[in-house]
Structures are given as structure tokens and as C-alpha cells.
């Protein structure tokens, strides 16, 4: 495959990749939410309550410790995957091995080790710890391999977003679908073996077996239906994220820090609630058979909120959307506490609970914090910043597992307990821990976000404009990724688009002439092509700006439109990626000129050089009509430039 080739318009690889997360998310949901249910209600049947509570405490504590340890272990596993070389690529062997081994061990956990607990509880604890740790490590291998595969499937940014969207969408079905099927499946298989309409051990074993097989089958879809592409882009990738990088990004980016804290509060409340809803329906409501409505509500609302968010965000600031979503969540908690006897109100509460844009707003704000950190600290930590949200999810998952285990013990919901055993005091204990704590966390989340997070859409647009100005005036810099060494020091810059050539000072930015060295073209088409041979150094998340460095060392920015940062990527389609070698005339981006004008912005394509102090004087730009590929100017680096000395 050549660098100029566009990915084939083939739906099956995207479908196959999405299927992978359908099983992967179902596996993680079963492990995170329903293994604890099995442990607290079935695993220790026939064991004294003292030993059972001790082991439940041990298991939940172990899960917390392991989840926290994942934060440090996952980068190490990622390095192992990165260093793997095989005829099948570096991701697929670990995806297959990780899924197979973790699935087999996952099913083994639901056997209770064939009654070992009744023989020697201490030996049982040791065996459980070993098997769970090994299972979790191999699950992490599969997790790292699955999501790490995306850049290997396509070098095109739009294609990558499609793969990611398919995976996320299928994952939501896999995760929420469990809530619909878990009680019917467990009850049915328990009835087949015991004749009792309960959720017994045989039913849980069958449920685990189904989920394990599903994860393996879905992983095979990914392995057989996708192709890792071996090209120059992948071989030039050399940036890695470490825990030290994450800590540095957090310490020097206050807007990222506050956003993370607000999201942590939300995520912890959400994971606690998700973990206790099964107990709520079984012990408080005495309606385990209607638990499926939780999954149905979650699935329907997730289908609506994702496509609805970008539509609403055109008219409503994301701070307002965040607040509305969190208020809905708070109202839901009040319904769960005070009006749960009314099934209609309870369903309304579930709808309100899942109708929150918190995660989407947090992701977008963290993404905007990339430019905030670049302006404030002079460093652009994309990989570091975008890795923080999964780390937060791991932490909150760990804490919620421990708290859920404590809640069910404190409320007497372990072993053979039933709804009839729930006294008013036990229900009050359950509510105080299961709903009042998340309610308080939700309140803290929205207070922190409204009070401390200042990185609005407008603020981000101003930051990007300021960064652009600094680049044009030579006050800021970017470092090329695997760029070719300087040869002659002179770059012939060609027209990247058809149109009318004008000087930079004819471009107005907030009523002032654009400063810097370069030129602009009033375009006649909506396609931007490479003006020379070189390397793509970076792409802003808003897609309106491309950073290039020529083979001779000329650092260049192509800025599409004026004020278009406010469009936040709408109307732009990139055909290149960071680190990619591009050739003269290669398509870099499409942009919708009509949409830009309809939203009140100019569509001029501005080309400027970010280190004017290192350039020989440039000839003035004569206004004229140009065609794609016409020579605009020759730009020469000064002889004492560091690039020529290198």
C-alpha cells in the first residue's frame, strides 16, 4: 500500500472491529458488575456467615488493589505488545491469547473451584487470588491490543474515527445488554438443573460460559476481519506514554486537573450506582425479574444521547449540557430513595439517570486542554492527556467494587438472604450508602465543573487563535516527527489550492491584519493538497489547521479559514495523520466552503512559516489567480540555521 492510497470503502472491517468490543465490553461488564453479585449471593452458600463475610471482604479488596495496579501495569503490557513481531502483526496474537486465557479463567471463577471453599477456605483464597490476577493480566493484554489496533487499521483520521465509533457503539450494546439478559439467563439455567426459579450457581456458571464464548467469538471477528497495515506511518511512531508523563500533564494543566476531578466524581457515582442496582431490584424492590428495564433504559438513552449531543451543542454551551445532565442524575437519585415503590416513577428515574452528557463533555473538555496546556506550558501532550480518562475509569471501578462489596455486607444482602429479610434499618443502610453517597458525588461534580472549569468552547477558540498567532510571529515552535534531514535549505512552496493569491496582511483577524511570513489564497475549491514533500507534524483537534515540515526543514502551517476553530471540526475531513510522510500534491483535507460561509466565517487558506527569524528575506506576494501546484515562492533557511548545521 502506498502512502497516497485512500482506505477502501469497505464496511466489513469496521463491522468486525465493532463486534470485537461487543464481546469485550460484555466480558468487562460481567466481571465488573455481576461477578460481585455471584460472590455475595451464591459462591459461599453453605459456608458460615463469618467466613463468608471475611472472604467477600478479601475478594472485593483484592479487586480494588488489582484495578489500581492496572494503572501502572498497563503501560508495561503496552510495551510488550509494541515490541511484538509476528506474521500476524503485533496486536492480533495478544488479542487472541488474552481473550482465550482470560475467558477460560473467568468461567473457572464461577465454578467456585468445585467446592474447595468447603474443604479449606485459606487454600481457596490463595487459588482465587492467583487465578484472578492471571485472568486480569491477560484481559489487560486483550484490552490494550484491541484499542491500540486502531492506528494500525488506517492512516486516515476519518477512518480511525469510524472504527472508534463502531467499537464504542457496539460496546454500549454489549455492556447494557447484560442488564437485560442476566436475570432471565441465570434463572433459566438454574431451573434446568435444579427445578427452582432462582439465581443459583448453575445459572451463574452458564451465564459466565456464554459471556466467555461470546468474547472469544467476537475477538475472532476482529482477527479474521481486519488487517494491520504495515506502512511508514506505523514504523515511524516513537512516542510512548508513561505514568510520569501523566503526572506531569496533570501537574501543569490546571484546567485538565479540575475537569478530571469533576469527571472522577461523576464516574465514581455512576459506577457505584451501576453496581448496586441489581441488589436494589432484588432486595429492596423484590422485583429481580424486572431488572431488565435498567438495561433497556440505558440502551435506549445511550442510542439517543450520542447523536443528540452535537446537535444540542450547536445552540447550548456544554457547561449547560453538563449541568442539565447532572441535575437529571440527582433527580433520579431522589426518585430511587423516596419514590421507588411507584414503577412508573422508577422508570422515569432510570431515564433521567442515564440522560447525562457528563462523559461526552468531559472528553471534549480534556481534548481542548491539549491546546490549553500547549499555550500555558509550551508542550503538546496529546497521548498523555487522552490516556487520563481510561485511568480515571479504572480507579473509580476499583473504588466502586470495594464499596459495593461493603454495602451488600452492611445491608445483609449476602448468601441466602432474600427481600423478606430486609428490615427498614437494612434498607436505610443500603440507601445511605448506595444512593446518598453518589448523590453527594454528583453535586460535587457539577459544583467543581461550574466553579473551576473555565475552558469553554469560546475560551478554547481564543486559545487556538493565540497559538496560531504565536506560531506566525515565531514566538512558538513545533518539533517535527521523523522529518527528513535538511538538504539544500531551500523549499519551493506550491499552491495548495486553486484560487486568488493574496498577501497575509490582506487577511483580517478580529479587525487586524494577520502577522507573519507566508501567503493566503481565497479558494475556488474545498480541497487542500500538500505544497511540498515533507511530514505532517500535528493536526489540531478542530481539524482546521495542519502543521507540516518540508524535507528541507521549513516549518509551515496551513490554516483553513478565519474563525473556523469555532466550528470544532464540523465540515472538515482530514486525509492525513500525525507523523505521516506526504508528497507534493497529496490530498490533505477537504473542507465545506458553503458551511464555513453560512456560519459567518471566511474560507481563506492561510499558509505561514513558524520560524520567520530563521528565513532569508522573502519576495513580496503579487496578487493573482493561481492553480493547484503553481509555484508561489522559494523559501530559504539562513546558513546559520540549526537545521542546516545539523
Amino acid at each position: 500500500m502506498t502512502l497516497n492510497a485512500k482506505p477502501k470503502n469497505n464496511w466489513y472491517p469496521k463491522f468486525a472491529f465493532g463486534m470485537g468490543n461487543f464481546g469485550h465490553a460484555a466480558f468487562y461488564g460481567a466481571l465488573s458488575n455481576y461477578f460481585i453479585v455471584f460472590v455475595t449471593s451464591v459462591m459461599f452458600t453453605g459456608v458460615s456467615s463469618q467466613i463468608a463475610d471475611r472472604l467477600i471482604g478479601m475478594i472485593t479488596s483484592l479487586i480494588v488493589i488489582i484495578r489500581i495496579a492496572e494503572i501502572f501495569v498497563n503501560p508495561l503490557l503496552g510495551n510488550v505488545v509494541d515490541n511484538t513481531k509476528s506474521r500476524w502483526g503485533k496486536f492480533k496474537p495478544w488479542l487472541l491469547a488474552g481473550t482465550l486465557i482470560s475467558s477460560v479463567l473467568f468461567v473457572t471463577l464461577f465454578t467456585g473451584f468445585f467446592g474447595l471453599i468447603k474443604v479449606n477456605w485459606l487454600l481457596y483464597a490463595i487459588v482465587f487470588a492467583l487465578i484472578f490476577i492471571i485472568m486480569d493480566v491477560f484481559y489487560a493484554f486483550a484490552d490494550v491490543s484491541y484499542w491500540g489496533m486502531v492506528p494500525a487499521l488506517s492512516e486516515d483520521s476519518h477512518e480511525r474515527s469510524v472504527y472508534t465509533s463502531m467499537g464504542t457503539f457496539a460496546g454500549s450494546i454489549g455492556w447494557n445488554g447484560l442488564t437485560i439478559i442476566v436475570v432471565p439467563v441465570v434463572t433459566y439455567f438454574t431451573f434446568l438443573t435444579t427445578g427452582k426459579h432462582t439465581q443459583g450457581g448453575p445459572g451463574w456458571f452458564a451465564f459466565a460460559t456464554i459471556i466467555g464464548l461470546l468474547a472469544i467469538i467476537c475477538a475472532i471477528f476482529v482477527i479474521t476481519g481486519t488487517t494491520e497495515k504495515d506502512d511508514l506511518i506505523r514504523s515511524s511512531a516513537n512516542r510512548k506514554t508513561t505514568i510520569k508523563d501523566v503526572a506531569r500533564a496533570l501537574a501543569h494543566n490546571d484546567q485538565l486537573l479540575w475537569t478530571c476531578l469533576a469527571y472522577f466524581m461523576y464516574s465514581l457515582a455512576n459506577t457505584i450506582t451501576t453496581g448496586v442496582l441489581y441488589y436494589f431490584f432484588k432486595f429492596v424492590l423484590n422485583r429481580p425479574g424486572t431488572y431488565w428495564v435498567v438495561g433497556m433504559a440505558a440502551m435506549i438513552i445511550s442510542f439517543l444521547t450520542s447523536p443528540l449531543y452535537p446537535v444540542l451543542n450547536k445552540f447550548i454551551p456544554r457547561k449547560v449540557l453538563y449541568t442539565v445532565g447532572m441535575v437529571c442524575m440527582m433527580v433520579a437519585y431522589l426518585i430511587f430513595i423516596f419514590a421507588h415503590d411507584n414503577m412508573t416513577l422508577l422508570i422515569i428515574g432510570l431515564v433521567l439517570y442515564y440522560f447525562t452528557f457528563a462523559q461526552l463533555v468531559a472528553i471534549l473538555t480534556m481534548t481542548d486542554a491539549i491546546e490549553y496546556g500547549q499555550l500555558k506550558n509550551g508542550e503538546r501532550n496529546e497521548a498523555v492527556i487522552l490516556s487520563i480518562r481510561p485511568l480515571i475509569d479504572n480507579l473509580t471501578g476499583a473504588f466502586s467494587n470495594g464499596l459495593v462489596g461493603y454495602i451488600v455486607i452492611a445491608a445483609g444482602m449476602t448468601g441466602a438472604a432474600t427481600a423478606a429479610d430486609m428490615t427498614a434499618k437494612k434498607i436505610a443502610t443500603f440507601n445511605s450508602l448506595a444512593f446518598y453517597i453518589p448523590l453527594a458525588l454528583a453535586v460535587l461534580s457539577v459544583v467543581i465543573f461550574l466553579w473551576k472549569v473555565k475552558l469553554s468552547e469560546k475560551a478554547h477558540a481564543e486559545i487556538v487563535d493565540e497559538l496560531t498567532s504565536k506560531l506566525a510571529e515565531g514566538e512558538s515552535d513545533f518539533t517535527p516527527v521523523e522529518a527528513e534531514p535538511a538538504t539544500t535549505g531551500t523549499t519551493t512552496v506550491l499552491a495548495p489550492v486553486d484560487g486568488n493569491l493574496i498577501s497575509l496582511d490582506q487577511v483580517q483577524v478580529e479587525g487586524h491584519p494577520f502577522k507573519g511570513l507566508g501567503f493566503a489564497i481565497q479558494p475556488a475549491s474545498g480541497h487542500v493538497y500538500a505544497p511540498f514533500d515533507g511530514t505532517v507534524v500535528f493536526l489540531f483537534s478542530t481539524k482546521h489547521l495542519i502543521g507540516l515540515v518540508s524535507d528541507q526543514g521549513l516549518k509551515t502551517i496551513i490554516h483553513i479559514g478565519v474563525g473556523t476553530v469555532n466550528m470544532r471540526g464540523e465540515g472538515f475531513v482530514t486525509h492525513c495523520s500525525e507523523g505521516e510522510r506526504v508528497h507534493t500534491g497529496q490530498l490533505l483535507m477537504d473542507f465545506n466552503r458553503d458551511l464555513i460561509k453560512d456560519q459567518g466565517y471566511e474560507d481563506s487558506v492561510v499558509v505561514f512559516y513558524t520560524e520567520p527569524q530563521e528565513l532569508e528575506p522573502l519576495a513580496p506576494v503579487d496578487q493573482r489567480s493561481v492553480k493547484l501546484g503553481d509555484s508561489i515562492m522559494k523559501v530559504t533557511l539562513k546558513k546559520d540555521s540549526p537545521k542546516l548545521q545539523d
Side-chain angles (χ1 to χ4, degrees):
M1 176 180 177
T2 63
L3 287 176
N4 292 328
K6 291 182 67 176
K8 295 181 180 179
N9 185 20
N10 189 338
W11 65 269
Y12 186 74
K14 302 174 183 63
F15 167 78
F17 184 79
M19 283 297 296
N21 202 36
F22 176 71
H24 191 66
F27 181 96
Y28 188 67
L31 178 62
S32 297
N33 295 333
Y34 300 111
F35 178 65
I36 293 294
V37 175
F38 168 73
V39 168
T40 56
S41 61
V42 174
M43 181 179 282
F44 303 122
T45 301
V47 179
S48 69
S49 59
Q50 183 178 6
I51 294 178
D53 287 350
R54 184 184 304 170
L55 287 172
I56 291 171
M58 182 273 294
I59 289 173
T60 53
S61 299
L62 177 65
I63 293 173
V64 171
I65 293 170
I66 291 174
R67 287 283 177 262
I68 294 175
E70 281 181 0
I71 299 172
F72 305 96
V73 172
N74 280 13
L76 302 178
L77 301 183
N79 285 334
V80 172
V81 174
D82 276 337
N83 293 326
T84 298
K85 294 182 179 180
S86 77
R87 57 184 294 187
W88 303 283
K90 64 182 181 182
F91 298 108
K92 291 182 178 180
W94 287 110
L95 177 61
L96 180 60
T99 304
L100 278 173
I101 295 173
S102 61
S103 295
V104 170
L105 295 179
F106 173 72
V107 174
T108 303
L109 290 175
F110 279 82
T111 65
F113 309 136
F114 308 102
L116 179 61
I117 180 64
K118 297 178 181 179
V119 177
N120 188 318
W121 70 267
L122 181 59
L123 179 60
Y124 167 86
I126 295 171
V127 172
F128 174 88
L130 290 174
I131 290 181
F132 192 92
I133 290 171
I134 296 171
M135 179 207 65
D136 202 69
V137 167
F138 278 96
Y139 168 80
F141 266 122
D143 190 41
V144 169
S145 299
Y146 178 79
W147 290 109
M149 185 184 293
V150 174
L153 298 178
S154 175
E155 70 278 3
D156 181 79
S157 297
H158 177 67
E159 287 286 300
R160 292 178 179 179
S161 69
V162 174
Y163 278 107
T164 303
S165 298
M166 286 294 292
T168 303
F169 179 75
S172 69
I173 298 175
W175 177 280
N176 294 317
L178 288 181
T179 311
I180 299 174
I181 69 167
V182 58
V183 173
V185 167
V186 175
T187 303
Y188 174 73
F189 283 99
T190 301
F191 175 76
L192 286 183
T193 55
T194 67
K196 299 178 180 179
H197 289 281
T198 60
Q199 295 82 50
W204 282 109
F205 176 75
F207 171 75
T209 302
I210 292 170
I211 298 303
L213 289 173
L214 178 66
I216 294 170
I217 292 170
C218 290
I220 292 173
F221 265 99
V222 180
I223 292 165
T224 59
T226 61
T227 302
E228 295 182 34
K229 299 179 180 179
D230 189 13
D231 54 30
L232 183 61
I233 302 168
R234 292 184 64 197
S235 63
S236 66
N238 58 0
R239 289 179 292 182
K240 297 185 182 296
T241 301
T242 65
I243 300 301
K244 184 177 180 181
D245 294 328
V246 174
R248 186 184 299 114
L250 281 170
H252 294 88
N253 193 324
D254 62 293
Q255 288 302 288
L256 175 66
L257 178 63
W258 288 116
T259 303
C260 287
L261 183 59
Y263 178 72
F264 177 86
M265 297 295 180
Y266 158 77
S267 182
L268 184 55
N270 182 56
T271 51
I272 291 172
T273 304
T274 302
V276 300
L277 280 178
Y278 174 83
Y279 299 95
F280 181 58
F281 271 73
K282 181 176 180 179
F283 292 101
V284 178
L285 304 182
N286 195 21
R287 292 179 174 178
T290 61
Y291 178 62
W292 62 270
V293 301
V294 176
M296 187 61 68
M299 192 174 297
I300 292 173
I301 297 303
S302 66
F303 286 165
L304 294 176
T305 52
S306 294
L308 184 62
Y309 177 83
V311 176
L312 293 176
N313 195 213
K314 287 183 179 180
F315 313 102
I316 305 173
R318 62 188 179 209
K319 268 198 171 185
V320 176
L321 292 175
Y322 190 91
T323 304
V324 170
M326 295 306 296
V327 169
C328 287
M329 192 175 183
M330 296 173 202
V331 173
Y333 282 129
L334 296 177
I335 292 175
F336 296 159
I337 296 169
F338 299 110
H340 56 258
D341 291 331
N342 186 313
M343 195 63 185
T344 301
L345 284 177
L346 184 61
I347 292 174
I348 293 174
L350 290 171
V351 170
L352 291 173
Y353 173 75
Y354 286 109
F355 191 80
T356 173
F357 296 115
Q359 187 177 57
L360 288 170
V361 171
I363 292 172
L364 289 171
T365 307
M366 290 179 193
T367 303
D368 286 351
I370 294 171
E371 283 77 46
Y372 175 83
Q374 182 178 355
L375 180 63
K376 184 176 182 180
N377 308 315
E379 296 183 0
R380 186 175 177 84
N381 305 108
E382 289 180 332
V384 174
I385 288 174
L386 294 179
S387 71
I388 292 175
R389 187 186 62 81
L391 294 182
I392 292 175
D393 289 340
N394 280 347
L395 276 175
T396 56
F399 293 147
S400 68
N401 280 334
L403 184 57
V404 169
Y406 175 77
I407 289 172
V408 297
I409 292 174
M413 297 177 175
T414 61
T418 66
D421 299 318
M422 296 299 105
T423 62
K425 182 178 180 181
K426 288 181 177 180
I427 291 176
T429 299
F430 177 84
N431 285 339
S432 65
L433 296 172
F435 295 136
Y436 281 110
I437 289 177
L439 175 60
L441 291 169
V443 172
L444 285 173
S445 176
V446 73
V447 168
I448 291 170
F449 197 84
L450 291 176
W451 180 35
K452 286 295 187 179
V453 178
K454 310 297 183 183
L455 194 54
S456 63
E457 296 92 319
K458 182 179 179 181
H460 177 254
E462 293 172 352
I463 288 169
V464 172
D465 283 341
E466 188 172 350
L467 281 172
T468 303
S469 298
K470 286 181 176 291
L471 287 169
E473 296 173 19
E475 297 180 16
S476 186
D477 189 21
F478 60 82
T479 303
V481 180
E482 296 292 325
E484 294 292 331
T487 53
T488 66
T490 298
T491 301
T492 299
V493 182
L494 308 182
V497 64
D498 296 331
N500 186 35
L501 177 68
I502 59 176
S503 61
L504 278 184
D505 58 11
Q506 292 179 264
V507 178
Q508 296 291 308
V509 179
E510 296 183 354
H512 302 286
F514 192 95
K515 297 180 181 180
L517 296 180
F519 60 91
I521 296 177
Q522 296 170 333
S525 69
H527 312 287
V528 174
Y529 298 82
F532 45 66
D533 290 345
T535 303
V536 178
V537 180
F538 63 79
L539 297 165
F540 272 128
S541 59
T542 46
K543 300 181 182 179
H544 74 297
L545 186 152
I546 304 173
L548 300 169
V549 60
S550 74
D551 288 349
Q552 293 74 35
L554 177 65
K555 295 180 178 180
T556 305
I557 295 292
I558 300 179
H559 190 291
I560 302 167
V562 177
T564 47
V565 62
N566 294 290
M567 297 175 66
R568 305 189 64 77
E570 184 182 7
F572 295 85
V573 178
T574 56
H575 297 282
C576 57
S577 56
E578 290 188 3
E580 180 178 352
R581 281 274 294 131
V582 295
H583 302 286
T584 302
Q586 180 176 330
L587 180 63
L588 301 179
M589 182 174 293
D590 297 324
F591 62 99
N592 190 326
R593 296 177 61 215
D594 292 335
L595 184 61
I596 291 174
K597 292 177 181 178
D598 287 345
Q599 296 197 14
Y601 306 117
E602 294 184 23
D603 64 349
S604 298
V605 177
V606 180
V607 180
F608 63 89
Y609 315 116
T610 66
E611 295 182 338
Q613 70 278 4
E614 292 190 6
L615 305 180
E616 297 287 355
L618 301 179
V621 173
D622 295 327
Q623 183 170 336
R624 65 184 190 275
S625 177
V626 294
K627 295 290 185 182
L628 173 68
D630 286 353
S631 178
I632 303 298
M633 61 177 61
K634 293 183 182 291
V635 184
T636 302
L637 295 172
K638 293 179 180 178
K639 293 183 179 180
D640 59 352
S641 168
K643 295 173 185 55
L644 294 184
Q645 294 174 359
D646 291 343

